Amino acid sequence: MTCNYDEKLINAYADKQLDAANMVEVEQHISSCKECDYVYQNIVSLKNAVNKHAEIHSAPEHVREKILGDLHNIPDHQITTIPPLARSRTFYFLAAASLLFITVFVGSFFHHHLEEEKLINNLLSSHVNAINANRLTDIQSTRVEQLYSWFTQKLDFSPKLVDISSEGLQLLGGRLDTLEKQRVAAITYKLGHHIVNVYTWPSPEKQDAIEEAHSKQGYQVVYWCNDYMNYWIVSDANKSTILDLAKHIQNKLTDETKKH
Amino acid sequence: MKRSDSEKITLFQNLVLCHLDSAYNYAYWLCHNKHDAEDICQEACTKAYSAFDRFEANNAKAWLLTIIRHTFLSNIRKNKQSAEIIPFDLHSQNDILPEALHDKHSPEIDLLRFNNQNIVRKAIDTLNTEHREIIILRELEDLSYSEIADILDCAIGTVMSRLSRARTQLNTILMHSFQTMEKKA
């Protein structure tokens, strides 16, 4: 195959799972590229073949009845049986307090850790997919004001944007994305030959300091929170550069907040 | 029975159990036999009912299918000695050379391989579990990429690449089966 157009996009086009802009782009490519049109026709034939020939198994009636019957016997709450041993009130108090401590502190630590790990994976996917799918920006602009008004029209929050362009850091534009089940603003920069994505969306926290960068699969991911907004930076530039950039944006944001 | 229990059961029936056919279909394609599919469905529905008070999402179908998948995986872990099912092995068809979607064949061959019911069914059965489940969720259950991402607990980008690989794999198996059938004939 001489055309190296991304087959993932042709699949998503056949499934009608792309946004309007990408649907048009793939459609235009397919109509002008015979190879990709063949790939598309092949996908459609595969889809039809599966739909036509793969058997859909319906739940047998006895399974439905058994499940319904079982529901009546499931207790509302998990009942914990307490061993019938004579224990003092202090023992129960200490046991309950320890259990609460373990549940709340250890549980929330692991929950938080897992949630953060999942978010970092999603940020990396978003960053990599935007590059692979050649969809770095929905709007190309080198002006922060233009990006701000575009985002404000598309999102149900107003992202706080600061002008940090410099000789080495070029603002490319903005993109909408979905993370943590909500729409977020992604601002894209070019730093030398590296792409930098800055993601932002509202946070319930007021402030959160910049921590060490998370290094994963060759990418650096840095988080902080500023005036009730989350900020995440993802890039394959080196760690110290990204941390410096994060601090630079944070300082600019703090200055802007003070001004208002 | 308390009145609230009866209300809860009715709500559970209307919201969740109405997707039992989809749950059973998914379970059947995951484990390949009706007895295991029935057991998985019963266990998953019991779990779903126990957790129903905490159910906040608005997509009950995706929620039930997620529980089906977790139940299937945890049963596999429990019965590791069962060598019949090797879930999510990406390399189970290494002996078949990849037949990329852009490798062109005559329209007659395409027509024959896509329209042979036995070949298509067998090809889906031959897919490894990871590829089979994503084809079933997309084509038979008609779920969006976002719903599939929720069920598989992965990013939408992963759904896109996995689905693309699954279709290439399915195409490979279809072509391989078709050629084998032709040789026999």
Side-chain angles (χ1 to χ4, degrees):
Chain A
M1 189 177 182
T2 48
C3 178
N4 56 6
Y5 200 75
D6 193 344
E7 267 182 28
K8 293 199 291 286
L9 286 178
I10 306 178
N11 274 281
Y13 172 77
D15 287 326
K16 298 185 176 61
Q17 292 289 305
L18 293 172
D19 56 30
N22 277 307
M23 284 296 283
V24 171
E25 191 203 299
V26 179
E27 191 174 319
Q28 281 172 350
H29 177 78
I30 287 174
S31 63
S32 63
C33 172
K34 277 189 181 170
E35 282 181 72
C36 289
D37 184 49
Y38 184 77
V39 172
Y40 170 67
Q41 299 298 343
N42 224 338
I43 293 167
V44 172
S45 302
L46 267 177
K47 284 170 69 65
N48 290 339
V50 174
N51 270 306
K52 191 170 165 191
H53 300 308
E55 204 177 343
I56 295 178
H57 306 275
S58 297
E61 206 42 49
H62 70 266
V63 174
R64 199 179 298 270
E65 283 165 12
K66 173 87 173 45
I67 291 168
L68 266 175
D70 286 350
L71 294 187
H72 294 271
N73 301 320
I74 299 170
D76 243 9
H77 304 287
Q78 288 285 343
I79 298 164
T80 317
T81 20
I82 302 164
L85 292 170
R87 303 279 193 204
S88 69
R89 282 185 178 184
T90 320
F91 172 83
Y92 283 118
F93 176 76
L94 286 176
S98 322
L99 198 66
L100 190 69
F101 174 81
I102 293 166
T103 315
V104 173
F105 287 90
V106 181
S108 69
F109 172 76
F110 281 110
H111 178 72
H112 181 256
H113 184 72
L114 286 174
E115 287 294 305
E116 186 174 90
E117 192 66 27
K118 195 175 162 190
L119 174 61
I120 291 173
N121 287 338
N122 289 341
L123 282 159
L124 282 181
S125 295
S126 159
H127 179 82
V128 173
N129 286 334
I131 296 171
N132 286 347
N134 206 13
R135 191 210 147 200
L136 278 176
T137 54
D138 290 334
I139 173 175
Q140 289 182 7
S141 174
T142 52
R143 286 177 48 235
V144 171
E145 300 77 19
Q146 192 183 0
L147 280 188
Y148 178 81
S149 64
W150 184 80
F151 276 128
T152 313
Q153 284 168 18
K154 307 271 175 190
L155 294 165
D156 52 8
F157 63 92
S158 301
K160 293 177 181 117
L161 307 179
V162 282
D163 189 4
I164 50 158
S165 299
S166 62
E167 208 171 298
L169 186 71
Q170 185 195 348
L171 177 61
L172 297 180
R175 184 178 81 246
L176 296 177
D177 224 315
T178 306
L179 288 167
E180 303 223 299
K181 293 185 178 165
Q182 79 158 61
R183 300 287 265 171
V184 305
I187 303 116
T188 309
Y189 296 90
K190 202 169 179 200
L191 180 68
H193 58 276
H194 303 285
I195 292 294
V196 178
N197 269 305
V198 181
Y199 296 87
T200 178
W201 67 94
S203 159
E205 307 289 329
K206 187 167 194 295
Q207 297 290 345
D208 214 345
I210 294 174
E211 289 174 16
E212 247 329 88
H214 303 264
S215 302
K216 201 165 183 185
Q217 298 160 13
Y219 294 91
Q220 306 300 329
V221 184
V222 177
Y223 158 78
W224 78 96
C225 172
N226 208 101
D227 198 20
Y228 297 107
M229 293 296 282
N230 286 317
Y231 295 88
W232 287 86
I233 299 189
V234 185
S235 178
D236 61 346
N238 73 53
K239 192 189 267 189
S240 60
T241 312
I242 293 305
L243 275 171
D244 286 347
L245 179 65
K247 282 170 194 158
H248 181 52
I249 300 176
Q250 193 187 34
N251 289 339
K252 279 256 186 186
L253 284 164
T254 312
D255 291 346
E256 287 288 317
T257 315
K258 278 180 191 162
K259 271 187 211 170
H260 296 107
Chain B
M1 194 203 297
K2 283 182 292 180
R3 182 176 146 79
S4 63
D5 282 350
S6 130
E7 278 172 359
K8 184 177 166 185
I9 289 175
T10 310
L11 197 61
F12 185 75
Q13 269 184 282
N14 294 343
L15 270 177
V16 182
L17 267 193
C18 57
H19 301 296
L20 184 62
D21 280 341
S22 293
Y24 181 81
N25 186 43
Y26 181 34
Y28 194 106
W29 281 103
L30 279 175
C31 54
H32 274 310
N33 77 75
K34 70 175 191 174
H35 295 296
D36 288 345
E38 288 177 11
D39 289 348
I40 285 174
C41 270
Q42 282 175 23
E43 196 181 330
C45 287
T46 308
K47 282 183 192 168
Y49 184 75
S50 298
F52 189 50
D53 289 335
R54 300 191 299 275
F55 171 65
E56 284 172 357
N58 50 15
N59 193 332
K61 182 176 173 180
W63 183 63
L64 182 60
L65 297 194
T66 308
I67 301 174
I68 289 279
R69 186 171 195 267
H70 288 180
T71 308
F72 167 73
L73 288 176
S74 86
N75 286 357
I76 287 289
R77 276 184 218 111
K78 275 186 223 156
N79 308 307
K80 261 192 174 169
Q81 66 272 26
S82 150
E84 270 181 54
I85 307 165
I86 307 164
F88 311 116
D89 175 9
L90 280 169
H91 308 291
S92 57
Q93 287 110 17
N94 273 351
D95 50 330
I96 305 174
L97 287 171
E99 177 84 16
L101 288 160
H102 53 255
D103 287 351
K104 211 160 185 172
H105 305 289
S106 74
E108 292 76 23
I109 289 181
D110 282 344
L111 192 73
L112 284 168
R113 69 192 169 123
F114 287 131
N115 279 302
N116 187 311
Q117 191 179 57
N118 284 338
I119 284 184
V120 173
R121 280 189 189 177
K122 218 175 158 191
I124 301 171
D125 277 339
T126 318
L127 284 173
N128 65 47
T129 316
E130 187 174 62
H131 288 164
R132 190 168 63 248
E133 75 169 339
I134 204 161
I135 292 281
I136 297 306
L137 292 174
R138 177 64 209 147
E139 305 302 355
L140 299 192
E141 294 308 327
D142 198 26
L143 294 170
S144 71
Y145 284 9
S146 152
E147 289 172 314
I148 297 175
D150 281 346
I151 294 170
L152 307 186
D153 194 20
C154 64
I156 290 182
T158 310
V159 172
M160 286 171 79
S161 43
R162 199 177 289 175
L163 192 56
S164 180
R165 282 201 306 271
R167 283 181 178 144
T168 305
Q169 191 71 53
L170 184 59
N171 195 48
T172 306
I173 300 168
L174 274 177
M175 201 59 215
H176 184 80
S177 315
F178 177 75
Q179 283 164 347
T180 312
M181 189 188 77
E182 284 282 277
K183 272 182 206 161
K184 278 184 191 164

